[in-house]
Amino acid sequence: MSVFAPASPFADFIYRHFRSIHALKLGLALLIAVTINAIWSPPHFIWSMVTIVIIMMSLPQVGGAIEKSLQRAVGTCLGSAYGVMLVATIDSYWLIMGLLILAVSLICFISAGRYSYAYLVAGFTIIIVVGDANHDTSEALWRTANILSGCVIAILVSLFIFPIKAKQDWRSQLANAIDNMAKVLTQHLHAPANHDLDFRAELEAAMKAVLTQKKLFFSLEWESQTLKKHKILLAELVNKQVRLITLLELLPLSRWQEADKEAYHQINRVAAELTAHLQRLSEFVAGKTASLPTLPTALGQELQHRLQLSLAAQTPNSAPLANEVAQGFALTGYGWLIYQLAIAVEALYADIEIIEIAYSGQTVLHKTAKRS
């Protein structure tokens, strides 16, 4: 099923109430841990509960919980193995501490990028295991076992109890960003001359939605093999949204006098088609329409041609005066801005189309030929 397919009532319910559901899931995971402790009473079981809270508290999505659980498990195992090796094979206190400091410093040096959390866990696990170098490894092994059990509980609860999918959040944020951009363009195109409309709220909301999409990338890779194969495309999709927002930020700087109103409105009538395309694209991404809307072939070139005709109609036949030259320059610049917006909309549409094609199993060439 496509990531843009209309969400089921169950999935929609989970997404709309994900905060409450996430809190309940965290409580359930802790209840499972407490029950295990009540039945078997393993030593140092508090580490299992600490692990559950660390993993699940800030990561409601399934993919994020799996990613963080695995990194914590790997970091714990590596750090514990190194620490146990030190206290079990070396008698010198200073040699053990020297090797501990060396290992933690090395981890600090190489800790970066996607797996930085695993490095962090490995570093403090070594310190916890070695402790005061008293050669009692049982405590370290129990702590390791409890941390791993906490990881398992967090993964199982995230996966099977009202799973909160990053895919749903990602598509919602994408639709939100596109919808806010469409609102900005709509308000500007219907604004009076010398308008003083403030689009900052809509543009900030769009940028916030774009940044949220970036935070979901790692979670998306765990939830969807299709999106994992197109992770570079997801990054490009973010960049193209940022470009659209940047262009839209220039719109409030566009001003015209009442005498020039008709000239600018001719351009705006052409640009209004971009608003319709953005709105339909937002509805598709949000799952409100079942099929990807059709975008005219070479939209940017077509709008550029029509804008040129509109500009030519405003050019005076006689020798231009100073104010007419200024007006012509402003109209040309405004037409260029609308043309760049059209190109950006085409690029955004193309990336979303590739993702939709990947889910449907069609080839890009086949889909393109079908549109032509």
Side-chain angles (χ1 to χ4, degrees), residues 157-177:
V157 171
S158 296
L159 271 174
F160 299 111
I161 308 298
F162 294 104
I164 301 172
K165 298 296 185 68
K167 291 187 295 183
Q168 182 75 2
D169 195 10
W170 174 77
R171 65 180 278 183
S172 177
Q173 297 297 335
L174 177 59
N176 185 32

Side-chain angles (χ1 to χ4, degrees), residues 172-201:
S172 177
Q173 297 297 335
L174 177 59
N176 185 32
I178 298 174
D179 184 59
N180 275 287
M181 288 186 276
K183 288 179 180 177
V184 170
L185 190 56
T186 300
Q187 292 178 46
H188 174 77
L189 296 181
H190 292 87
N194 280 323
H195 68 82
D196 57 353
L197 296 177
D198 189 353
F199 303 134
R200 283 179 296 180

Side-chain angles (χ1 to χ4, degrees), residues 78-86 94-111 118-127 130:
L78 293 177
S80 178
Y82 183 80
V84 169
M85 183 270 294
L86 289 182
W94 287 108
L95 181 56
I96 290 176
M97 290 304 174
L99 292 174
L100 180 150
I101 294 172
L102 177 63
V104 174
S105 299
L106 179 61
I107 288 172
C108 178
F109 177 75
I110 64 177
S111 175
Y119 291 119
L120 170 65
V121 172
F124 71 67
T125 300
I126 295 173
I127 297 174
V130 172

